[in-house]
Amino acid sequence: MKKIIFGIAFIIFFSFLIVSAVNMRTFGEPIISEMDDYFIENAQSETGANNVVTSIVFDYRGFDTLGEATVLFTAVVGIVALFRGVKR
Amino acid sequence: MIGNLPYVAVVIFIGLGIYTLMFKKNLIKIAIGIVLIENGVNLFLITLGYRKGAIAPIYTQAPSGQAMVLPTPQALTLTSIVIGIATTALILSIAMMIYKHYGTLDTDEVRRLRG
Amino acid sequence: MKEMSRIVKTVTNFVYGFIIIFGLYIIAHGHLTPGGGFQGGAVAGSAFALLLVSYGSLNSNKFLKKDIFSLFENFGLVLFIVLGFSGLGITFFYNFLANSGSWFGNAAFIGINPGDMNTGGVIPLMNIAVGLEVLSAFGVIVLTMASGAEFTKKKEKS
Amino acid sequence: MSSFVEIIHISTLVMMIIASFLAVVFRKLLPSIIALSVASLLLSLEFYLLHAPDVAIAEAAIGAGLTMAIFIFAIRGTR
């Protein structure tokens, strides 16, 4: 009984996703791109790096990288604390 | 000719992941479903930033006079992949400790043997 | 996990140095070519996973120490935060070395160029810090899960 | 010329969908994880075709190498 209800809900959800994917905007033509054009124009003169993706990751959006490093550190601390009683 | 096929691929990835989360009972199988959903989200973010007939956003030795792909979704996807591997390692460690405590990986058995 | 056959160990001895050197190359050239701290750290971390799988978790504890990896991970995170706070005279995460003429401070050419190693300001230093942190984090994860797999499996009847 | 790139693009997407479907359907855990690794490697090729080489390097190193090693350690620990 539970499987039938879950199956009906899954089919409705999946068909909704399929319809919304077919009706999306055309592949390969982004609509809003002012911020990215600014990054592509000014990244070389402001940060001096040739790779635009690296200059975004480490300079314009440094807060995201700081949060990512903290999440990775927290996951490592969690794994080590979970296996704390294991002797080598 | 290609149409909207990448969006359909994203939807099939996410649908397979949710099917695995709903109907499978093994804990490692559920971890596989979570990895599939992560792959779908990463592909969706990269697909949103694609511009037809453009080159990669790197100035070293590039062909001149062409437009570039949007760089911001690529930077966010790079962050997302590393967070995904960290959470997957934590999920698998907790599954191993559940197996040590209860002796099984079936979710119904784990719920029944409480206490 | 027990150690694997002699063929696997010979190939591993031949190939793991090249994988680590390639990862360090990706980290060092992060601001010119595709790559950066995350990618280079992941490539070098997969070399440690290869060593651990081929030599077994008991033998590899002699030459891969968990404490040294943990020390380098803390050092990388602290170095990254210190580099972020260094530009606090203007804003947080300000690129105070770019176009200044000192370390990594040459002015870059505008437009398409063959690339100069001495540009980028604070970005190559942050690449090294994040690469050190990601490499050590993956080493700690792989070592801990390999010794935990010996702990949680059922004991064989002897 | 462009049609050749499009044929590679479409065939990569279709093989990726087949590999992820096999990763869900298989009963035993080890073949399922191998199919997941193949799907992740094809996803890396797809990222390269969409002009994102940074993400392609990261996905090839993490998704196809380290995820496989971590899942195999988990299977060895739970048998």
Side-chain angles (χ1 to χ4, degrees), chain A residues 59, chain C residues 79-98 122 126:
Chain A
D59 198 333
Chain C
L79 182 60
F80 182 70
I81 294 176
V82 165
L83 282 175
F85 269 103
S86 294
L88 203 58
I90 300 176
T91 48
F92 199 43
F93 278 103
Y94 181 69
N95 198 343
F96 65 98
L97 279 178
V122 82
M126 279 186 181

Side-chain angles (χ1 to χ4, degrees), chain B residues 5-80:
Chain B
L5 190 60
Y7 296 126
V8 178
V10 168
V11 166
I12 291 176
F13 261 125
I14 295 178
L16 281 174
I18 290 175
Y19 171 77
T20 310
L21 288 187
M22 274 185 176
F23 292 108
K24 297 288 183 178
K25 295 285 174 52
N26 198 344
L27 280 175
I28 292 179
K29 208 77 173 177
I30 289 175
I32 288 175
I34 291 175
V35 173
L36 280 179
I37 294 179
E38 282 173 6
N39 285 344
V41 172
N42 291 335
L43 182 57
F44 182 60
L45 280 175
I46 291 293
T47 309
L48 279 185
Y50 181 66
R51 187 184 278 167
K52 196 163 286 185
I55 58 173
I58 294 166
Y59 278 104
T60 307
Q61 307 276 356
S64 62
Q66 283 185 338
M68 284 186 176
V69 174
L70 309 189
T72 310
Q74 299 188 10
L76 296 183
T77 310
L78 202 55
T79 305
S80 164

Side-chain angles (χ1 to χ4, degrees), chain B residues 58-65 78-79 82 85-86 89 92-93 96-97 99-100 103, chain C residues 32-34 38-39 111-115 134 138 141 145 148-149 151-155:
Chain B
I58 294 166
Y59 278 104
T60 307
Q61 307 276 356
S64 62
L78 202 55
T79 305
V82 181
I85 185 69
L92 288 175
S93 299
M96 285 158 69
M97 287 309 278
Y99 183 78
K100 174 68 177 175
Chain C
L32 296 180
T33 54
F38 299 132
Q39 295 95 339
I112 293 165
N113 54 352
V134 171
F138 286 150
I141 286 175
M145 288 189 68
F151 173 64
T152 58
K153 74 178 181 183
K154 281 181 181 172
K155 302 292 185 291

